[in-house]
Amino acid sequence: MARHNFYVSLKQASIFLNIILYFAKPCYGLYEDQVGKFDWKKSFIGKVKYASFEGDQLIVGTENNVLASLNVKHGNIIWRQVMENAAEQQIQHFEVNRDIITISGQEKSWYVRGWEINSGMLLWEWNMNSDKIFTTSYWSVLENERLLHIISSEGSHIEIASYHLETGETKSKTQKVPTPWLRDTSKCVVSKGYFACIVENDVVEEIKYINLDTNSPQVSTINIELSDSGKAEILNFEHEIPSVLIVKDNIARIVQFKSTPEVLSSSFLKNIICVKDKGVHHLFQLEINLENPKKLLRIKRVNFNNQDELMVDLEYPKGLGVPYILAGTCREKSCSLLLSSIDHASILVRVPEGDIVWTREEALSEIVGVEFFELPVSELDASIENEFKTSSQDVFSMFVHRISTQTRQLSNLFFGSKLQLDNMLVRDDFGLHKIIVVVTKIGKLFGIDTLSGQIVWSYRIPHILPFDMANDNAILLLVQRTARYSPLPAQCTLLAKDGMTGYTIMFQFDPITGYSSKGVVRMNKKIKQAMLLPYEDENHLKPFVTVINNGNVEVYPNKAKNIVEKHLSSIHFFVVGKDAIEGYSLSSESGELKTSLHWNFLLGPSKLVGISTRPSGERVHSQGRVLPDRSVYYKYVNPNMIAVATITEDPLHKQVLSVYLLDGITGFVIYSLAHKRARGPVNLIHSENWLVYTFFNERYRRTELAALELYEGHIQSNSTVFSSYAMSQLPQVQSQSYILPATPTKITVTLTERGITNKCLLVALSTGAVMEIPWAMVQPRFDDIPCGPEESCYPYMPEIPLNPEAAINYNQTLSKVKGISVAPARLESTSHILVYGLDIFYTRVAPSKTFDVLKEDFDHKLIILVLIGLILASYATKTLASRKAVKQAWK
């Protein structure tokens, strides 16, 4: 009987389990169909420096020290190898034979590598180190796996060292060749075993060349007659026969090193390459076409006698810089040419068709400034807002205006507006659709759509450079007016340094369309600081002030000068220099604005490694922290606080990291601390009343993260307006240190519209992941207050756990991250994130989950049925209740 009951219970449990499994649905952290829905990634390689066509692949080496293979048909990356930091290592030699050979390095350290063409796999590698510092090195790969390293010493000699290409084994003794005539190493090249230099004499130019593939290299001379104007230069020329180009006054001559060196009599343009097709060598060069204004670029194919074989006019895209030919290949009657422009764009052109197959905007690999902009409202919403805005008081005019407005609204509702049909750049209800304006190091502006990642517009500003700021380069983007003030257009101002004069240029444009009515304005002066003011004029335009090196202050626009004079006492700024940080205030003398030094913070022998201020648009929702005993511990929220990190060389502790908290108005040191035997890189982030920074602890050989939190105490000094001059007591500082089991490259914090959402740290790691770490996890704990689930507090853990599920870029590796830009959405729970470097990655994060919106899998049908049922039930109960009331009244 007991066994029978057991089988019955087991059968019932099995039926119940099957029912649960039938209705259950699997759940994952990220659904497969969600990949790419809220995020996108764009991969780049940088400005192409070397290129070679190999079948359907285009093998390139870039200035960002990247080796990559591109698909010739559509330009996508097949594989990519990111090598060492480009500032320390550069590809000095690139060659494609059976394998890809790269030599990267500088001064006294080089890496020689071999790569497989189809997969990019590393086949072999060896490094070369030297105690001497060689400023100029040349390389040449010869037959029998020989690698020659040529080291030149100006005015003395050259050294020739021979190595085995794959192993680095020394082949022979180093040879020295006297070269007392060598005065400028920039006028020397190496071409397939020949070292050639151009030497200018009073009468003619001479080419001094050395055959390196001999047991006793000797110097030989070739005389060449060139034009009298300009300086001559020598360039490498790819050909089966070792050749060089001699260029003077933009006219090039080809010199070939045969058994008897030959100087070709024909003249060519400077930008010329040689392409071999079925044993025949074709020369391609670019020319300016003055005959057709719509097609200003002409590609010409000529022979070695400079006779025209083919001429193609190319419709070159607007906005791209001046191009030059980098490489080419021919197959049957069609040839593909790779063009590279001065604004780092790569273009593949097909001739004789004259079609542009694809274009890669590689300038986006060097972003130095980012701003998020809200889009304008749709025409339908704008017409609703302006429906009753009419100056006429005539009843008939108002009636016609309203009828026409509502007709347009009805048309837009059914057929869509022109703006919506063209690019869908309209504001949504939650502010999730924005446009990202980025400015690159080369001076090119891009407008990028957050939904698709597509480039909406681009604009190139020639000959500009970023400002040399503290430990970084930046081009300033000042947001004077957003798109929320319809019908007034948004306005943004770019400030950069003129690359030709060193002065400052100004460029004002509409960030939504990229249109500029004034164009580039050259200010003919050097500015020391620029600051956007928080005040608006009658047109909702925020003015900005520029401080010139002589101390004078200029206001833009000029008519906003009265606004500056009205708030003169509350305008302060600081300037970061190599030796000190200086704080200034503004004053008015005889109607002119002047700056006066208010305080300075001397760095002394220390080196500035980090500086951070609070985000300008950040809002602090809670003024205090509620403790478990229901008391409030008020935050020390100083909007003028500056966090500064310096490193000082110390004979005992090697290096000492010092962190200072300064008041930007008075220069007062609020708090300071030091870490012995600590070195960079240092990442510093300041938000609300707390500070987080990372450094490398040399004593324990690990990366540490320190968090500081500042409080006023249980009594708030001023609950209305904060003043740096009314500081009555120093803040109470809580600190906590952690071990970060990774190497961070950049760190920032999330921002939301009202500051209600919990904050998270976004940490970019050297592994290519961007981790989301809740601030509550690293928030300093109080010693006398319990910490646990009841207090909504994480117990202290010395090592921060990096959960793989916390990576906001999941399995998409981001290389060489240079910055993380954050902007709030109109939805309180959501923040916009743009991670940029060699790659660009955009996503949206919700640190406290999307508590203010319904989930995607919300059952709308069920809730509708429930509501309908409740409505019917309410009417039914109302009818029954009324009948009952009537019956009771008749009793």
Side-chain angles (χ1 to χ4, degrees):
M1 186 66 180
R3 182 178 297 180
H4 176 72
N5 293 336
F6 171 78
Y7 282 120
V8 171
S9 301
L10 185 62
K11 186 177 181 180
Q12 293 176 350
S14 177
I15 294 174
F16 181 74
L17 182 61
N18 289 332
I19 294 174
I20 293 177
L21 292 177
Y22 179 80
F23 288 100
K25 295 182 179 179
C27 181
Y28 305 95
L30 184 69
Y31 289 98
E32 186 177 357
D33 58 350
Q34 288 180 321
V35 175
K37 186 174 182 180
F38 306 113
D39 59 83
W40 45 261
K41 177 189 175 185
K42 305 292 181 181
S43 298
F44 302 96
I45 55 178
K47 182 183 179 181
V48 178
K49 188 177 182 181
Y50 306 96
S52 177
F53 284 89
E54 299 296 326
D56 292 334
Q57 297 186 68
L58 175 61
I59 311 298
V60 296
T62 70
E63 292 185 354
N64 293 50
N65 212 21
V66 174
L67 181 69
S69 172
L70 305 179
N71 191 302
V72 176
K73 294 181 179 179
H74 43 69
N76 293 341
I77 298 175
I78 300 175
W79 54 261
R80 183 182 68 174
Q81 295 289 350
V82 181
M83 292 180 278
E84 296 80 16
N85 187 8
E88 301 174 358
Q89 302 282 334
Q90 273 282 345
I91 298 179
Q92 304 291 346
H93 184 81
F94 172 90
E95 191 170 331
V96 181
N97 293 322
R98 184 179 69 251
D99 302 318
I100 306 171
I101 301 168
T102 62
I103 302 174
S104 58
Q106 63 180 1
E107 294 184 346
K108 58 181 181 180
S109 178
W110 293 271
Y111 291 92
V112 184
R113 297 182 174 102
W115 312 84
E116 207 272 327
I117 294 180
N118 294 323
S119 63
M121 181 178 62
L122 181 64
L123 300 177
W124 46 266
E125 174 188 25
W126 56 277
N127 66 315
M128 182 191 307
N129 295 316
S130 175
D131 295 334
K132 300 179 182 179
I133 297 178
F134 303 111
T135 56
T136 307
S137 294
Y138 304 91
W139 307 86
S140 181
V141 179
L142 303 180
E143 296 179 355
N144 301 324
E145 302 292 330
R146 287 181 60 199
L147 174 65
L148 298 183
H149 182 203
I150 302 96
I151 305 165
S152 63
S153 299
E154 294 183 356
S156 177
H157 64 279
I158 65 169
E159 297 181 8
I160 306 171
S162 179
Y163 302 93
H164 188 273
L165 180 61
E166 296 186 3
T167 62
E169 180 184 357
T170 303
K171 283 280 189 179
S172 60
K173 293 182 179 180
T174 302
Q175 296 176 318
K176 292 186 178 181
V177 181
T179 56
W181 42 266
L182 182 56
R183 301 296 180 185
D184 188 0
T185 57
S186 64
K187 294 186 176 182
C188 298
V189 296
V190 172
S191 176
K192 294 185 178 180
Y194 282 84
F195 178 77
C197 300
I198 185 168
V199 181
E200 297 183 12
N201 293 330
D202 296 335
V203 182
V204 294
E205 281 81 14
E206 294 180 343
I207 299 177
K208 302 282 187 179
Y209 69 95
I210 303 172
N211 187 356
L212 305 173
D213 194 13
T214 59
N215 295 328
S216 56
Q218 300 294 327
V219 179
S220 303
T221 304
I222 304 175
N223 294 329
I224 182 171
E225 296 181 359
L226 299 173
S227 61
D228 297 333
S229 61
K231 292 185 177 181
E233 60 177 329
I234 185 170
L235 303 174
N236 205 340
F237 185 72
E238 294 293 333
H239 193 268
E240 287 183 348
I241 302 173
S243 307
V244 294
L245 275 180
I246 305 299
V247 183
K248 194 170 186 180
D249 196 20
N250 291 326
I251 302 298
R253 301 277 295 275
I254 300 175
V255 180
Q256 295 182 338
F257 300 105
K258 304 177 182 178
S259 57
T260 301
E262 180 184 359
V263 180
L264 300 186
S265 59
S266 301
S267 300
F268 305 93
L269 296 180
K270 177 181 178 179
N271 184 209
I272 186 171
I273 65 167
C274 180
V275 178
K276 184 179 180 181
D277 181 25
K278 296 181 179 180
V280 180
H281 293 85
H282 301 285
L283 300 179
F284 288 91
Q285 62 184 16
L286 286 179
E287 296 181 0
I288 298 177
N289 182 19
L290 300 178
E291 300 174 0
N292 189 351
K294 295 183 179 181
K295 297 183 179 182
L296 294 177
L297 198 63
R298 173 174 292 173
I299 300 176
K300 183 184 290 186
R301 188 177 71 188
V302 298
N303 55 24
F304 278 88
N305 295 323
N306 202 4
Q307 296 178 353
D308 295 347
E309 296 181 349
L310 179 67
M311 189 181 300
V312 178
D313 293 337
L314 181 65
E315 189 173 350
Y316 195 64
K318 295 182 180 179
L320 295 182
V322 179
Y324 57 93
I325 304 179
L326 203 59
T329 184
C330 291
R331 186 179 298 176
E332 296 179 354
K333 296 182 180 181
S334 179
C335 295
S336 298
L337 301 178
L338 178 67
L339 309 184
S340 182
S341 64
I342 59 174
D343 57 350
H344 299 185
S346 298
I347 310 103
L348 188 75
V349 179
R350 191 72 51 79
V351 291
E353 296 86 351
D355 298 332
I356 294 180
V357 183
W358 48 260
T359 302
R360 291 183 60 89
E361 292 283 2
E362 295 300 334
L364 288 169
S365 63
E366 294 185 344
I367 295 176
V368 294
V370 179
E371 284 291 343
F372 286 81
F373 286 90
E374 193 172 11
L375 292 170
V377 296
S378 62
E379 293 183 8
L380 178 62
D381 295 335
S383 60
I384 293 175
E385 292 180 2
N386 300 325
E387 182 176 346
F388 298 99
K389 292 182 180 180
T390 176
S391 57
S392 175
Q393 300 297 327
D394 185 16
V395 176
F396 179 75
S397 300
M398 295 179 65
F399 175 76
V400 171
H401 177 75
R402 182 166 185 177
I403 293 298
S404 62
T405 301
Q406 293 186 350
T407 303
R408 189 165 57 253
Q409 293 174 13
L410 188 63
S411 174
N412 293 339
L413 183 63
F414 285 99
F415 303 105
S417 65
K418 186 178 184 300
L419 181 65
Q420 290 174 317
L421 295 176
D422 290 345
N423 48 28
M424 295 299 292
L425 290 179
V426 292
R427 188 189 310 173
D428 59 341
D429 295 333
F430 296 142
L432 302 178
H433 189 192
K434 291 192 175 186
I435 191 168
I436 310 173
V437 175
V438 300
V439 56
T440 62
K441 190 175 181 180
I442 198 62
K444 197 164 187 180
L445 282 162
F446 294 92
I448 304 175
D449 190 356
T450 57
L451 294 185
S452 61
Q454 299 297 320
I455 297 176
V456 180
W457 58 265
S458 63
Y459 193 96
R460 185 177 66 91
I461 307 175
H463 308 300
I464 70 170
L465 295 173
F467 292 111
D468 297 328
M469 305 182 70
N471 304 312
D472 201 0
N473 295 326
I475 295 177
L476 301 181
L477 287 175
L478 306 178
V479 184
Q480 293 187 270
R481 182 171 57 210
T482 62
R484 65 176 57 185
Y485 302 107
S486 178
L488 296 174
Q491 180 171 318
C492 182
T493 300
L494 177 143
L495 294 177
K497 184 167 62 175
D498 193 334
M500 302 180 67
T501 62
Y503 294 141
T504 303
I505 68 165
M506 180 175 63
F507 178 68
Q508 293 181 341
F509 62 99
D510 184 351
I512 309 301
T513 61
Y515 172 74
S516 175
S517 59
K518 299 180 180 179
V520 178
V521 178
R522 304 191 182 275
M523 303 174 66
N524 295 327
K525 60 194 71 172
K526 295 181 180 181
I527 66 171
K528 190 176 183 179
Q529 180 64 286
M531 179 176 56
L532 183 70
L533 300 181
Y535 317 110
E536 296 181 355
D537 59 8
E538 64 277 4
N539 294 324
H540 303 285
L541 192 70
K542 293 181 180 179
F544 67 92
V545 296
T546 59
V547 181
I548 311 173
N549 287 335
N550 59 6
N552 293 335
V553 178
E554 295 184 354
V555 182
Y556 297 91
N558 295 329
K559 60 182 181 180
K561 188 176 180 180
N562 58 341
I563 300 178
V564 178
E565 293 178 347
K566 181 180 179 181
H567 301 88
L568 202 61
S569 60
S570 60
I571 299 177
H572 296 77
F573 64 93
F574 66 94
V575 177
V576 181
K578 294 182 179 179
D579 302 324
I581 302 175
E582 299 174 339
Y584 293 87
S585 59
L586 296 185
S587 59
S588 179
E589 299 179 3
S590 303
E592 294 185 359
L593 297 176
K594 295 283 186 179
T595 61
S596 57
L597 181 63
H598 201 55
W599 58 269
N600 63 344
F601 180 77
L602 300 178
L603 300 177
S606 303
K607 178 183 177 182
L608 183 67
V609 293
I611 187 167
S612 177
T613 59
R614 275 185 53 193
S616 59
E618 183 184 45
R619 294 189 179 184
V620 182
H621 179 261
S622 176
Q623 296 183 350
R625 178 178 177 181
V626 180
L627 302 181
D629 59 356
R630 302 299 181 184
S631 63
V632 178
Y633 214 49
Y634 290 101
K635 300 177 182 178
Y636 177 78
V637 183
N638 185 350
N640 308 316
M641 193 167 64
I642 308 169
V644 178
T646 63
I647 286 184
T648 309
E649 299 292 336
D650 187 87
L652 181 61
H653 304 292
K654 295 184 179 180
Q655 290 180 330
V656 177
L657 171 64
S658 302
V659 179
Y660 303 93
L661 301 182
L662 308 177
D663 190 288
I665 305 298
T666 62
F668 181 73
V669 179
I670 301 171
Y671 184 75
S672 65
L673 54 87
H675 299 273
K676 301 174 182 178
R677 299 190 66 180
R679 62 176 174 86
V682 177
N683 296 283
L684 197 66
I685 185 68
H686 170 41
S687 177
E688 289 193 5
N689 68 317
W690 51 267
L691 174 76
V692 169
Y693 59 95
T694 62
F695 62 94
F696 185 80
N697 191 324
E698 287 190 330
R699 181 180 180 183
Y700 297 105
R701 298 184 180 276
R702 67 191 184 194
T703 301
E704 295 186 2
L705 182 145
L708 303 178
E709 200 168 17
L710 286 71
Y711 291 96
E712 292 189 27
H714 292 285
I715 301 176
Q716 194 173 16
S717 60
N718 194 336
S719 59
T720 56
V721 179
F722 179 86
S723 175
S724 295
Y725 294 104
M727 186 182 298
S728 58
Q729 61 180 3
L730 293 176
Q732 303 175 22
V733 180
Q734 300 288 335
S735 62
Q736 202 89 57
S737 296
Y738 301 87
I739 301 171
L740 189 62
T743 303
T745 57
K746 290 295 179 180
I747 183 173
T748 188
V749 64
T750 57
L751 293 177
T752 54
E753 183 76 10
R754 300 293 177 181
I756 302 174
T757 307
N758 295 330
K759 292 185 177 293
C760 278
L761 299 176
L762 299 176
V763 183
L765 306 180
S766 59
T767 57
V770 180
M771 307 301 295
E772 188 177 17
I773 302 176
W775 158 243
M777 183 178 291
V778 298
Q779 187 177 20
R781 281 74 168 172
F782 291 90
D783 297 334
D784 55 343
I785 295 178
C787 182
E790 295 182 359
E791 294 81 12
S792 299
C793 177
Y794 288 91
Y796 175 73
M797 292 176 288
E799 183 172 325
I800 300 176
L802 297 180
N803 191 349
E805 296 179 359
I808 63 173
N809 57 330
Y810 40 99
N811 65 339
Q812 302 191 79
T813 303
L814 305 178
S815 300
K816 296 184 179 181
V817 175
K818 298 179 182 177
I820 306 174
S821 184
V822 181
R826 298 179 68 185
L827 200 63
E828 169 57 29
S829 63
T830 308
S831 294
H832 296 276
I833 308 296
L834 182 72
V835 185
Y836 56 93
L838 190 60
D839 302 318
I840 299 179
F841 178 75
Y842 165 81
T843 188
R844 303 196 299 257
V845 299
S848 299
K849 309 300 181 184
T850 51
F851 58 85
D852 46 1
V853 293
L854 296 177
K855 296 182 179 180
E856 290 184 353
D857 57 350
F858 185 80
D859 198 342
H860 294 83
K861 296 180 180 179
L862 179 61
I863 195 66
I864 291 175
L865 293 176
V866 171
L867 290 176
I868 294 175
L870 290 175
I871 293 172
L872 295 177
S874 62
Y875 276 103
T877 52
K878 179 181 179 181
T879 303
L880 295 175
S882 61
R883 290 180 180 178
K884 184 177 180 181
V886 171
K887 290 180 179 180
Q888 289 180 353
W890 281 101
K891 288 183 179 179

